Amino acid sequence: MKTDFILTKIKDYKPCKEGFQNAVKDSSMKSLCSLFFANSDWALRENFPSKEVLQKYRGYYEQYGVFYQSNSLQKALKLAIFDCVSELSFLGYDVSAIFIRGNSKITVKASGYSKLFITVLDDAELIIEKEETANVSVFRYGGKVSGDAEVKECRWD
């Protein structure tokens, strides 16, 4: 799969030199998704990837935990959710870092000893349903959060 379009778009956002060199060195979808999660602070602040990139490559990034306009999400260690409406359940000893963007409406059910770190941005809505000894930490840069979770209000400096 050719990902030249993504590389062009990344360059438009003026990434750090090392990050961009890594993307050019291995521009596979798996590598680019790994770079997104490894550099999530930059990606979230710059609002990358754009909806244009997400639309163009739909069907190729979902296996790596990135979802766009989907109603059926698969839980993973790291998730990036863009403009989705869905419900996710975490139980037992599940651990996950989740980024929720755009106009997403996500319900997260956490039980057992699951531990979740959720970042909410834009106009996204997050509903937390927590049971037992589950631990849910939310970092809110925008959107709405309701339910039982520790919420930290954040902003870009």
Side-chain angles (χ1 to χ4, degrees):
M1 141 150 332
K2 290 188 145 268
T3 56
D4 297 345
F5 181 75
I6 297 173
L7 294 176
T8 301
K9 292 298 179 183
I10 289 173
K11 196 171 185 179
D12 289 347
Y13 286 87
K14 299 181 179 32
C16 71
K17 185 177 181 181
E18 181 183 345
F20 187 69
Q21 286 175 341
N22 288 338
V24 170
K25 189 184 305 180
D26 181 358
S27 62
S28 67
M29 188 59 67
K30 180 179 181 180
S31 177
L32 292 174
C33 288
S34 292
L35 278 170
F36 167 83
F37 289 115
N39 297 286
S40 60
D41 55 340
W42 171 84
L44 296 174
R45 186 174 43 252
E46 297 297 328
N47 200 18
F48 187 84
S50 66
K51 290 182 181 188
E52 180 183 20
V53 168
L54 291 166
Q55 183 68 37
K56 184 174 179 75
Y57 290 92
R58 181 179 284 168
Y60 295 100
Y61 47 69
E62 291 82 1
Q63 63 186 328
Y64 306 113
V66 178
F67 295 91
Y68 175 61
Q69 293 182 339
S70 177
N71 293 332
S72 57
L73 309 178
Q74 302 163 2
K75 67 181 180 181
L77 182 61
K78 295 180 181 177
L79 289 167
I81 301 168
F82 300 84
D83 295 332
C84 297
V85 176
S86 192
E87 182 179 291
L88 291 165
S89 294
F90 295 87
L91 50 123
Y93 293 93
D94 288 341
V95 175
S96 189
I98 306 166
F99 304 100
I100 304 173
R101 296 217 64 158
N103 292 310
S104 294
K105 291 181 176 116
I106 305 296
T107 298
V108 171
K109 295 181 178 187
S111 62
Y113 293 95
S114 58
K115 189 164 183 79
L116 307 175
F117 302 92
I118 305 172
T119 302
V120 180
L121 303 103
D122 309 321
D123 294 321
E125 293 180 33
L126 170 64
I127 299 168
I128 303 288
E129 297 177 8
K130 186 178 94 163
E131 299 176 3
E132 303 164 23
T133 55
N135 186 312
V136 180
S137 297
V138 177
F139 305 93
R140 187 170 100 57
Y141 288 87
K144 297 176 187 172
V145 177
S146 61
D148 187 12
E150 176 184 325
V151 179
K152 180 179 180 187
E153 300 295 329
C154 303
R155 63 187 172 111
W156 304 117
D157 290 330

